[in-house]
Amino acid sequence: MFSKKHKVDISLPQHIAIIMDGNGRWAKKRKLPRSAGHVAGAKNFKTIARYCNKIGLKYLTVYAFSTENWKRPQEEVNGIMNLLRDYLKDAENFKDENIRVRFIGNIEPLADDIKELIHKNEEMSKDATGLNLNIAINYGGRDEITNAVKNIVKSGIREADIDESVISQNLYTKDMPDPDFIIRPSGEYRLSNYLIWQSAYAEFWFSDVLWPDFTPKHLDKAIEEYNKRNRRFGGV
Ligand code: IPE
Ligand code: IPE
Ligand code: MG
């Protein structure tokens, strides 16, 4: 367990969000095709998700494919979709892990078999009481907010009744706590359209390590750093 390794008492954030970035550069460094980077990245995602469950984290939300990632070459997109397919087929074997899997993003444009597998995995894991694992696929913060506005207008709610909680409740993350801590490896210092509403008061941790090289040790270090932050939420 995470806490036993540390002399000081370390408290876990309730919700960690990770931008799994740097697969392409990881592959390039090794003179491998970008697809090999995505394979390594997908493998690491399983390792980190399992570790988060083991240390008792309640929520982990990972960015796997953005609404902008369709701009990539068709072959690369197909490769990523195939990895998602493999993960979803395999996830049935993780039943005993007690992880609840959910997907955030617009899954409508995905292939029918992937959509079916997504529903199956969500249904199969819905009673799990361990980690809540959210996988962001075809996710974009602006797309999410646009979709929320459409739903709110459709609902016919009166303007006077619209407050922040109405908006939150119309996002993909409804009923989930906002992320406390956002981790982005790969040396980029931006959100890239990730959880832009939900991150209003999140803490950030950036690192040059590329996603396939990001280990549970890096996560421990990041959480230690998180514990030193003084979150004021606008107060004193
Ligand atoms: C993240 O790694 C995976 C996805 C965006 C799907 P990248 O593929 O963006 O890797 P870099 O940024 O090119 O190194
Ligand atoms: C963000 O990474 C999306 C995911 C990790 C899935 P990108 O590699 O797409 O972001 P940019 O293009 O560097 O901003
Ligand atoms: Mg990238």
Side-chain angles (χ1 to χ4, degrees):
M1 285 289 286
F2 182 83
S3 54
K4 282 186 192 148
K5 286 199 297 188
H6 296 266
K7 287 184 206 93
V8 284
D9 242 355
I10 294 279
S11 65
L12 283 174
Q14 196 184 7
H15 186 174
I16 295 179
I18 303 182
I19 301 173
M20 304 190 292
D21 196 18
N23 295 349
R25 280 162 284 173
W26 182 92
K28 197 173 177 198
K29 255 171 72 181
R30 286 162 181 76
K31 300 195 166 32
L32 295 168
R34 290 182 60 85
S35 59
H38 294 311
V39 171
K43 190 169 165 235
N44 198 41
F45 150 67
K46 288 193 212 171
T47 305
I48 296 296
R50 280 210 187 94
Y51 182 69
C52 287
N53 189 38
K54 196 178 96 183
I55 63 177
L57 186 72
K58 285 326 285 176
Y59 288 89
L60 173 69
T61 301
V62 295
Y63 207 2
F65 192 86
S66 76
T67 47
E68 288 74 38
N69 288 147
W70 298 106
K71 290 179 198 157
R72 296 185 179 205
Q74 189 66 45
E75 197 191 321
E76 179 169 346
V77 171
N78 290 346
I80 294 168
M81 290 302 156
N82 279 332
L83 286 168
L84 174 62
R85 211 175 247 116
D86 291 347
Y87 170 75
L88 288 165
K89 285 181 186 160
D90 208 29
E92 289 181 42
N93 305 320
F94 297 138
K95 264 190 271 190
D96 41 340
E97 301 247 351
N98 201 22
I99 295 176
R100 177 169 189 185
V101 190
R102 275 176 283 189
F103 287 78
I104 63 168
N106 177 15
I107 65 162
E108 198 32 52
L110 304 182
D112 287 341
D113 69 308
I114 292 184
K115 279 188 272 194
E116 248 169 64
L117 283 163
I118 284 176
H119 293 310
K120 204 170 149 195
N121 274 278
E122 287 185 336
E123 184 57 29
M124 216 165 45
S125 68
K126 72 176 194 307
D127 297 322
T129 54
L131 176 71
N132 285 284
L133 172 62
N134 305 314
I135 303 177
I137 295 281
N138 192 24
Y139 174 87
R142 289 185 172 184
D143 182 62
E144 180 180 41
I145 294 167
T146 305
N147 183 53
V149 171
K150 285 185 183 171
N151 287 338
I152 292 166
V153 169
K154 252 189 271 166
S155 77
I157 188 173
R158 292 184 323 161
E159 181 201 333
D161 294 331
I162 298 175
D163 58 14
E164 291 183 7
S165 76
V166 170
I167 295 173
S168 292
Q169 280 305 310
N170 280 281
L171 300 177
Y172 296 121
T173 51
K174 70 170 166 2
D175 297 329
M176 297 178 195
D178 285 340
D180 307 289
F181 195 34
I182 298 184
I183 291 175
R184 182 166 196 163
S186 91
E188 310 294 356
Y189 302 88
R190 54 178 174 261
L191 271 178
S192 302
N193 206 8
Y194 197 36
L195 302 172
I196 54 177
W197 169 277
Q198 299 89 335
S199 64
Y201 270 99
E203 297 293 326
F204 291 85
W205 192 81
F206 298 102
S207 159
D208 285 344
V209 65
L210 302 171
W211 171 249
D213 292 328
F214 183 92
T215 64
K217 277 213 176 84
H218 291 109
L219 188 67
D220 285 356
K221 241 182 85 185
I223 294 171
E224 243 180 83
E225 167 72 31
Y226 171 83
N227 273 261
K228 294 181 195 149
R229 305 280 176 90
N230 179 9
R231 302 183 77 192
R232 284 186 290 278
F233 299 99
V236 285

